[in-house]
Amino acid sequence: MSELSTHILSSGLIPQKASTDATHIAIAAIHQMDFFMTWNCRHLANAVIAIEINKICQNLGLTCPVICTPEALMGD
């Protein structure tokens, strides 16, 4: 598991039982993806959590992708 996913999990933003969610975010950030689309609004596409995950990424010198649902990315 990457350092980023470890930090995300240790922050308590994403529960241990959803560790694959933290890993997916880490992979997206490490590979400099612009967007991370998901229907998971509980742990991922959640504005409050996304802001905190972005801070964790920045503290590690990474840019967090925009975490959103496909609907939000498509717009009207």
Side-chain angles (χ1 to χ4, degrees):
M1 193 177 323
S2 76
E3 180 181 2
L4 177 54
S5 58
T6 301
H7 279 272
I8 292 170
L9 289 171
S10 67
S11 73
L13 294 167
I14 295 177
Q16 291 292 327
K17 67 180 182 178
S19 63
T20 54
D21 291 342
T23 301
H24 289 150
I25 294 169
I27 290 168
I30 289 166
H31 290 283
Q32 302 174 347
M33 296 177 73
D34 294 323
F35 296 95
F36 182 90
M37 291 189 301
T38 181
W39 286 114
N40 182 338
C41 296
R42 176 172 284 199
H43 301 130
L44 298 175
N46 173 312
V48 174
I49 291 173
I51 289 169
E52 296 304 316
I53 289 173
N54 186 45
K55 289 177 187 176
I56 293 169
C57 289
Q58 288 178 344
N59 287 339
L60 295 173
L62 297 166
T63 301
C64 187
V66 174
I67 303 170
C68 60
T69 64
E71 268 183 353
L73 186 60
M74 296 293 290
D76 292 334

